[in-house]
Amino acid sequence: MNTSNVVALIFAGLAYLLGSLSFAVLVSRVMGMADPRTYGSGNPGATNVLRSGNKLAAILTLLLDAFKGWLAVWLALVIGPGFGLGAPGVALVAVAVFLGHLYPVFFHFKGGKGVATAAGVLLAVQPWLGLATLATWLIVAGFFRYSSLAALVAAVFAPFYYWFGGGLAWNADPALLLALVIISALLIWRHKGNIEKLMRGEESRIGRKK
């Protein structure tokens, strides 16, 4: 195994550990709230924390989950090249931090669905890409009031935004495109229960308490 592969694995391992910090649970503990895995959808994410009625906790969860995704990729992009980390390594880091959120080693591998963390990854890869995807989420969520539907639509569009923007707004890299496709596919898969509820008309709308 050459040095660049070792460096990529080290960065990816650290990214996974960072992603494993479940801020929905941590913020709730610090603020003396119930564990978000025990109410609502049971998902440790900002949307479920919002169902507790504590908007500050939900906002903090959202921002911190997004921040960890951004930080992992940003560090790989800024510090990584000095250690020989190329685009494939950055792509591996992006997937690793996302997997850490989905399957956190610190929380028995039971994590969230990854919407905020994916948004942070996109903002680090290309700020305009992240903003375009965020705008897509906001538009769908604003019209339909379903967080899950907004996440699914944004997940589908994100890789296409990156691909179509290549050569126009940024230089698209095949390895990063593949990473975004993997992240989007995982996010959609994690929402399979929500998809079934949407089809049955049983999905909870944003702001509704359970």
Side-chain angles (χ1 to χ4, degrees):
M1 184 177 292
N2 59 41
T3 304
S4 61
N5 288 338
V6 173
V7 169
L9 289 176
I10 291 173
F11 269 83
L14 293 174
Y16 171 77
L17 293 177
L18 178 59
S20 290
L21 297 174
S22 181
F23 286 108
V25 178
L26 295 174
V27 168
S28 295
R29 286 181 183 175
V30 171
M31 299 183 70
M33 298 166 53
D35 190 317
R37 295 170 295 183
T38 64
Y39 62 82
S41 66
N43 177 63
T47 300
N48 199 42
V49 172
L50 182 61
R51 294 189 177 105
S52 71
N54 193 320
K55 293 182 180 179
L56 176 58
I59 291 172
L60 288 174
T61 298
L62 176 69
L63 293 177
L64 289 171
D65 278 345
F67 177 72
K68 69 184 181 184
W70 175 86
L71 181 62
V73 177
W74 182 81
L75 288 174
L77 287 168
V78 174
I79 298 177
F83 293 91
L85 190 70
V90 175
L92 183 61
V93 166
V95 174
V97 70
F98 187 73
L99 285 173
H101 181 81
L102 300 188
Y103 307 103
V105 66
F106 305 127
F107 296 91
H108 308 290
F109 302 101
K110 296 179 180 179
K113 296 177 181 177
V115 177
T117 302
V121 168
L122 293 175
L123 286 168
V125 170
Q126 285 292 340
W128 286 112
L129 169 66
L131 291 174
T133 307
L134 177 60
T136 302
W137 188 96
L138 289 172
I139 291 170
V140 177
F143 273 102
F144 298 101
R145 307 298 295 173
Y146 289 116
S147 175
S148 57
L149 179 62
L152 290 166
V153 173
V156 170
F157 275 85
F160 286 100
Y161 287 156
Y162 182 71
W163 180 38
F164 284 119
L168 297 175
W170 51 71
N171 293 320
D173 182 88
L176 283 170
L177 175 60
L178 177 59
L180 296 185
V181 170
I182 292 172
I183 289 172
S184 293
L186 285 169
L187 192 150
I188 292 170
W189 180 76
R190 290 286 284 186
H191 280 78
K192 60 184 184 297
N194 301 91
I195 295 173
E196 293 172 357
K197 289 182 179 179
L198 284 167
M199 294 179 68
R200 295 195 302 264
E202 299 174 356
E203 181 71 326
S204 296
R205 292 180 182 270
I206 296 174
R208 177 186 173 187
K209 297 180 183 179
K210 283 192 175 182

